[in-house]
Amino acid sequence: MDRIIRPYQSEDLDDVLASWESASRLAHPFLKEDFLDQERHNIPNMYLPNADTWVVEEAGEVLGFIALMGNEVGAIFVKPDFHGTGAGKALMDKAQELHGDLEVEVFKENAIGQKFYARYGFQYLSEQIFEPTGNVMVRLKFTAEKSL
């Protein structure tokens, strides 16, 4: 199957929300329902209009998405059925192609995300408490290879 990475379109919203919700519940069992409800509202109303968002699609199905604000990875979520298939790496490769060096924040308790970023080559920068939830957020940086 051919996978394509393409810019997000408004008709992708239901698939993007489904990717976010299923992957978020798997990776973030510690998040409270009221926070998730707020995020479900914020994604289409605040985040997507202000981000450069790309989707990974296979056979007409959106498998996941990445939302970028400059070189900051604001979100990357892939439907759990497609974890480990290269869909997330393809999205991150697109971000690197666009911006080179990348930064991201991930919940310290998100073992799935931590493993993904480490495998991709992100390095630890710092951590702080994420006020809306009280959870620890880790800031990571990916440094692109400089060509000579």
Side-chain angles (χ1 to χ4, degrees):
M1 277 290 155
D2 282 342
R3 281 203 180 138
I4 59 167
I5 306 290
R6 62 166 176 77
Y8 166 82
Q9 298 160 352
S10 57
E11 55 268 21
D12 297 326
L13 181 60
D14 288 344
D15 284 327
V16 161
L17 284 171
S19 300
W20 166 78
E21 181 137 12
S22 57
S24 201
R25 287 185 182 282
L26 181 68
H28 308 136
F30 49 86
L31 291 179
K32 295 189 175 26
E33 206 57 43
D34 57 345
F35 178 75
L36 292 173
D37 287 344
Q38 186 60 52
E39 289 295 275
R40 197 176 297 106
H41 171 80
N42 289 344
I43 290 169
N45 297 298
M46 274 177 41
Y47 302 149
L48 291 174
N50 295 300
D52 179 23
T53 304
W54 297 79
V55 299
V56 57
E57 182 183 278
E58 183 177 282
E61 180 185 0
V62 172
L63 311 182
F65 71 100
I66 190 167
L68 305 167
M69 282 121 2
N71 76 328
E72 176 89 13
V73 178
I76 180 170
F77 289 97
V78 172
K79 291 177 182 171
D81 287 351
F82 297 96
H83 285 186
T85 66
K89 182 182 184 306
L91 289 165
M92 198 61 79
D93 288 348
K94 181 62 177 182
Q96 187 193 337
E97 174 192 317
L98 292 168
H99 298 286
D101 296 352
L102 301 169
E103 291 194 19
V104 68
E105 288 187 338
V106 59
F107 285 109
K108 191 170 189 171
E109 295 174 65
N110 177 354
I112 294 168
Q114 293 272 13
K115 186 175 165 189
F116 171 79
Y117 295 122
R119 208 168 40 231
Y120 197 84
F122 279 80
Q123 303 290 312
Y124 176 91
L125 279 180
S126 63
E127 58 187 65
Q128 65 186 31
I129 298 292
F130 180 62
E131 293 300 332
T133 66
N135 297 87
V136 176
M137 194 66 93
V138 179
R139 185 156 195 79
L140 305 170
K141 181 176 179 75
F142 174 82
T143 305
E145 296 292 321
K146 304 287 184 238
S147 54
L148 301 174

